[in-house]
Amino acid sequence: MANTTYRTLYSKVLFRLGMGEDGRALFAAREAVNDAQKYIARVTDFEELKVLDTDNASTAAGTKTYHLTDDWGLTRPKDLITLRYMDEGSSGKLVALSARELDEKLPYVESIGETVPKWYTRRGNNIDLVPVPSEAKSIYIFYSQWPLVLSDDSDETSYENIDDVIVALASDIAATMVRKETQEYGTKLLENWPQRAREYLGLAVREHNYKPDMTYIAQPFGTGNTGFSGEPWKDPFVKGW
């Protein structure tokens, strides 16, 4: 089933504003739809904007840093959920590290040589793999996307079943564009858009998070090594064993 088109969304915003398609109102409605989608993405990642890419990303022997779009071909990447290094028996989920932690504990990554990577850190749209990979292997990436920026009337929103939320939020945003509020009032409203998005999304997010096919079971805390098997004495992040 096709998602709602850009024209349908901004036409509904214009209807709420009670204005025809004059230049200022039309521009405001079109801009507001894209703004609303981005605010919604900042509040929560909907399932339709989560992607598992198993085709584009791979390592190169001796290469530490990879760009999410230029090297790994991701589309509008927002947040990384999981990265898996795929090498048959040595396959495993890479562990995320903050850049600060990595730089503090291992400022020169190359010092531990080239082998199967265990960790990754994100610096903007660049990913550093640690240790440096020794072979060319596939990386499976599960990530969330920013919504498609709509430009043509026939473009379809990336979202499913939240047209009401997009239109309501976009109508509020567009109204501040076309009505000559005081600067103080306009600024106050702009500061509230993330909160306004959360309010409109209240029921939609609860519905989105409800997964009747999943049962969550608490797991006990474990101190065992959950990384790849290997030589722990060469592991800069193992404090003791």
Side-chain angles (χ1 to χ4, degrees):
M1 183 178 66
N3 292 347
T4 306
T5 65
Y6 188 26
R7 180 173 180 81
T8 298
L9 290 171
Y10 74 68
S11 294
K12 289 182 177 181
V13 173
L14 287 170
F15 178 78
R16 285 195 173 207
L17 294 177
M19 297 180 178
E21 294 191 5
D22 64 87
R24 181 176 175 81
L26 180 58
F27 175 82
R30 290 171 63 91
E31 286 291 300
V33 167
N34 279 314
D35 288 350
Q37 290 193 127
K38 183 159 283 189
Y39 281 117
I40 289 169
R42 287 177 177 145
V43 171
T44 190
D45 290 324
F46 280 82
E47 294 299 327
E48 54 266 34
L49 283 171
K50 294 178 181 178
V51 176
L52 174 61
D53 189 310
T54 61
D55 299 319
N56 297 309
S58 62
T59 62
T63 300
K64 176 182 70 174
T65 304
Y66 304 84
H67 193 275
L68 290 176
T69 56
D70 296 344
D71 296 321
W72 282 352
L74 302 190
T75 302
R76 305 187 309 278
K78 180 177 176 282
D79 298 318
L80 299 178
I81 302 172
T82 61
L83 271 67
R84 285 178 288 161
Y85 178 84
M86 307 306 295
D87 182 21
E88 298 180 351
S90 296
S91 299
K93 177 182 177 296
L94 300 180
V95 178
L97 292 174
S98 68
R100 179 175 181 177
E101 181 181 8
L102 177 61
D103 292 346
E104 178 182 324
K105 294 183 177 179
L106 192 63
Y108 185 57
V109 171
E110 290 79 358
S111 65
I112 59 175
E114 298 177 8
T115 183
V116 175
K118 300 179 183 178
W119 306 277
Y120 76 90
T121 192
R122 181 172 181 175
R123 305 178 193 271
N125 281 326
N126 288 307
I127 300 297
D128 286 351
L129 298 183
V130 184
V132 177
S134 57
E135 297 183 83
K137 297 293 181 180
S138 294
I139 297 288
Y140 287 4
I141 306 178
F142 187 39
Y143 70 104
S144 62
Q145 297 176 322
W146 289 106
L148 176 70
V149 176
L150 307 177
S151 56
D152 295 333
D153 283 356
S154 58
D155 287 347
E156 296 177 2
T157 177
S158 303
Y159 290 108
E160 301 172 5
N161 303 317
I162 61 165
D163 294 0
D164 53 336
V165 176
I166 296 172
V167 170
L169 182 59
S171 297
D172 289 347
I173 296 171
T176 66
M177 295 181 183
V178 298
R179 295 173 186 160
K180 295 181 179 179
E181 340 271 6
T182 65
Q183 183 177 1
E184 179 183 357
Y185 182 58
T187 301
K188 182 178 179 181
L189 278 179
L190 287 174
E191 292 174 347
N192 282 337
W193 292 138
Q195 180 59 35
R196 190 75 59 86
R198 289 187 183 91
E199 292 170 358
Y200 282 134
L201 279 167
L203 183 59
V205 169
R206 286 195 293 274
E207 174 66 22
H208 167 262
N209 291 334
Y210 174 64
K211 296 179 175 60
D213 60 332
M214 295 183 66
T215 302
Y216 296 95
I217 302 175
Q219 298 293 321
F221 175 77
T223 58
N225 181 13
T226 59
F228 301 93
S229 60
E231 301 172 315
W233 55 88
K234 293 183 179 180
D235 188 335
F237 298 98
V238 171
K239 298 180 180 179
W241 50 279

